[in-house]
Amino acid sequence: MASLDPDDWTTFRALGHRMMDDMIDRLAHARDTKVWTPLPDPVRQAFHAGLPHHGLGAEAAYAAFTARIAPYASGNTSPRFMGWVQGGGNPVGMLAELLAGGLNENCGGRDHVGLAVERQVIAWSAAMLGLPVSTGGLLVTGSSIANFIALLCARRRHLGTTVRHAGLAGAPLVGYAQAGVHRCIPGAFDMAGLGTEALRRIPVDAAYRIDLAALEATIVADRASGLDPFLLIGTAGAVDVGAIDDLTALAALAARHNLWFHVDAAFGALVALSPTRCHLIAGIERADSVAFDFHKWAQVQYDSGCILVRDQQWMLDTFAQQASYLTTTTRGLAGGAPWPCDLGPDLSRGFRALKVWMTLQAYGSDRLGTIVDDSCALAQRLATLIDTTPGLSRLAPVPLNIVCFRYDDGGTDLDAFNEALVADLQIAGDFVPSTTTIGGKRAIRVALVNHRTTSTDIDALVEAVLAAAYHRRDGSPHSSL
Ligand SMILES: *Cc1c(COP(=O)(O)O)cnc(C)c1O
């Protein structure tokens, strides 16, 4: 057998050390480089080369990485990356990825330490949110799949075991969430065979929280018309403005109407660790299931999402399968049941848990809670700056870490203008905000998630937006307003 291991470990070790130094340097200088650099055409072209039948060696592969990959990353390690809701990663998490790669664990099942680590991360997560010890869970790619798994558990509970062999068989299931629900929720209804129309999108109130009266009226009307309500989804940290539904009220409503109560807390779950804002997600401890991400506000490397289900038995009832070559035993490596492959859809699974576990071990949950508080304080600072700066107009309340605003000099082209402004900032490499639409108006959306961002970055962002706006309007320096 021609092993893939190097003939000369000494040379390989030197290369490994160089890679490590380069990546540590990169993090140490996360503030000093452009946030994002668009991929130049020749570089893009180079990625159309065919399958390499003959390898060039590790040195050449790393040279290609240094020249053609590293300079063009998306930039979310930068303190000035404020687009969408993306975590900045952390140094310990980076090294943990190396360690996990070294062990190369398959965490689909069997009795080994990777599963013990993952179970501890799940137990910590449940404790963080106030869920009981019966809680089961898995680390998955992200909240998109976590929300999908929750929907499947809710469907299985509602329809019984029949759904696993007979399918939906025309059952008229309907579920509920607020109008600002993340795109992956209708996506989950689609993938589960319910169809996106089975998701009822309930209007929000002035604070962008689900309108409870409209919700209850819709449930009652649906049931009266022969539909079968089965699932209520609360949102903790809505994508557009960061609003958190009244989860206590939703838990009571779900109990009253016999609905599975799921919370999409993709980034909002971390508010549980905030000393000043944890009250905002009160009620999450009553959820039947929660989806959230470690790769966003918890700063763990991508990808690391998490699904928690209040009673692990529902995961087993939904996903467990019999296969003779996967039979569990009480002795040997085939022990340790139940296995993760019986709690969710994946069989082979990487050691995702290690980077989460090491991040929590190294920094502690209090430190993450402080980051949540700091992000929210930066959002308040930005909101105040916008409110006191002529030419800038805030478009939504700021309950958490997201600020929606736009440049507004009374022009008639403000939607297109602000869209172009955001692209200008991104292409210049100075800042990466993103955009959304609030009340029909195109907005600049700033989501403060990165642990490296400081008040200096916030002040500089406002300056940069104004400078870019004046430049785009007439090239005059920024001071004319
Ligand atoms: C990010 C996000 C998701 C999707 O999570 P992924 O990790 O990107 O799959 C779902 N819901 C909300 C509210 C989000 O912010």
Side-chain angles (χ1 to χ4, degrees):
M1 176 95 75
S3 163
L4 299 177
D5 288 338
D7 297 329
D8 174 6
W9 284 102
T10 307
T11 314
F12 184 82
R13 185 187 308 274
L15 175 64
H17 289 174
R18 215 168 82 226
M19 288 176 177
M20 183 101 86
D21 281 343
D22 290 350
M23 285 301 107
I24 291 173
D25 279 346
R26 187 182 169 90
L27 288 189
H29 296 285
R31 162 171 297 288
D32 310 336
T33 49
K34 283 187 168 196
V35 184
W36 171 68
T37 303
L39 212 52
D41 273 337
V43 174
R44 204 183 288 275
Q45 279 309 318
F47 289 105
H48 293 293
L51 172 70
H53 290 283
H54 300 287
L56 302 174
E59 276 285 350
Y62 185 56
F65 171 86
T66 305
R68 297 199 266 119
I69 297 178
Y72 309 111
S74 65
N76 50 313
T77 51
S78 165
R80 296 190 173 190
F81 187 101
M82 303 165 176
W84 303 276
V85 173
Q86 297 204 14
N90 76 84
V92 172
M94 175 180 84
L95 297 180
E97 294 258 56
L98 173 69
L99 303 181
L103 299 185
N104 191 31
E105 292 247 74
N106 180 348
C107 293
R110 294 156 290 270
D111 192 13
H112 54 101
V113 72
L115 272 58
V117 173
E118 182 161 349
R119 286 179 187 129
Q120 185 168 36
V121 167
I122 295 301
W124 287 345
S125 303
M128 173 179 114
L129 298 178
L131 287 161
V133 290
S134 59
T135 299
L138 287 175
L139 293 177
V140 293
T141 44
S143 286
S144 300
I145 287 301
N147 282 314
F148 181 47
I149 290 172
L151 186 151
L152 295 177
C153 290
R155 190 184 70 163
R156 161 65 184 82
R157 184 176 78 174
H158 196 78
L159 295 179
T161 187
T162 330
V163 70
R164 293 201 60 190
H165 51 86
L168 282 172
L173 298 188
V174 280
Y176 305 84
Q178 68 142 290
V181 73
H182 190 272
R183 65 187 277 277
C184 71
I185 302 289
F189 276 72
D190 174 5
M191 291 192 293
L194 304 178
T196 54
E197 285 167 14
L199 172 66
R200 296 285 194 257
R201 297 168 190 241
I202 308 299
V204 291
D205 62 19
Y208 292 84
R209 291 148 57 110
I210 191 168
D211 180 327
L212 296 165
L215 169 62
E216 188 141 32
T218 310
I219 294 170
V220 170
D222 281 349
R223 197 161 266 145
S225 70
L227 297 173
D228 191 4
F230 81 113
L231 169 65
L232 174 57
I233 299 171
T235 298
V239 272
D240 277 338
V241 304
I244 299 177
D245 287 337
D246 182 343
L247 301 179
T248 303
L250 290 186
L253 207 141
R256 209 156 56 238
H257 291 277
N258 192 28
L259 308 177
W260 179 285
F261 178 38
H262 172 69
V263 181
D264 177 6
F267 62 97
L270 269 286
V271 172
L273 299 179
S274 153
T276 63
R277 286 179 174 76
C278 55
H279 61 277
L280 292 174
I281 61 160
I284 199 167
E285 73 286 348
R286 293 169 65 182
D288 291 306
S289 54
V290 178
F292 75 99
D293 286 321
F294 281 103
H295 56 218
K296 289 177 176 167
W297 232 347
Q299 317 292 337
V300 178
Q301 262 67 9
Y302 285 89
D303 50 28
S304 48
C306 183
I307 174 66
L308 298 175
V309 176
R310 182 174 206 86
D311 185 345
Q312 176 173 271
Q313 190 59 42
W314 287 116
M315 303 182 86
L316 289 166
D317 288 350
T318 306
F319 293 102
Q321 293 183 29
Q322 305 293 328
S324 51
Y325 79 103
L326 291 174
T327 305
T328 57
T329 58
T330 50
R331 290 179 66 240
L333 184 54
W339 291 358
C341 65
D342 283 326
L343 302 177
D346 294 313
L347 176 54
S348 294
R349 307 170 64 249
F351 195 5
R352 218 174 249 131
L354 186 63
K355 58 193 170 187
V356 180
W357 190 86
M358 287 199 60
T359 296
L360 285 164
Q361 288 285 2
Y363 301 106
S365 62
D366 288 357
R367 186 97 177 261
L368 298 181
T370 305
I371 289 169
V372 168
D373 268 4
D374 291 350
S375 306
C376 294
L378 290 176
Q380 288 305 323
R381 182 187 185 95
L382 178 57
T384 304
L385 275 172
I386 290 162
D387 293 347
T388 54
T389 303
L392 297 182
S393 136
R394 187 152 61 84
L395 298 180
V398 180
L400 233 48
N401 60 331
I402 298 178
V403 185
C404 293
F405 68 105
R406 67 175 175 176
Y407 180 78
D408 184 349
D409 58 0
T412 54
D413 58 344
L414 293 178
D415 285 350
F417 184 85
N418 280 277
E419 190 78 51
L421 197 61
V422 165
D424 288 348
L425 290 166
Q426 293 173 353
I427 290 164
D430 297 332
F431 287 91
V432 171
S434 56
T435 54
T436 190
T437 301
I438 301 285
K441 295 177 173 173
R442 212 60 191 141
I444 302 173
R445 177 170 168 280
V446 170
L448 297 161
V449 184
N450 192 302
H451 59 96
R452 302 185 175 100
T453 307
T454 66
S455 53
T456 311
D457 297 311
I458 298 301
D459 299 355
L461 168 69
V462 171
E463 290 296 315
V465 167
L466 290 174
Y470 291 123
H471 185 73
R472 179 157 270 283
R473 272 288 184 245
D474 56 11
S476 70
H478 125 234
S479 69
S480 55
L481 262 174

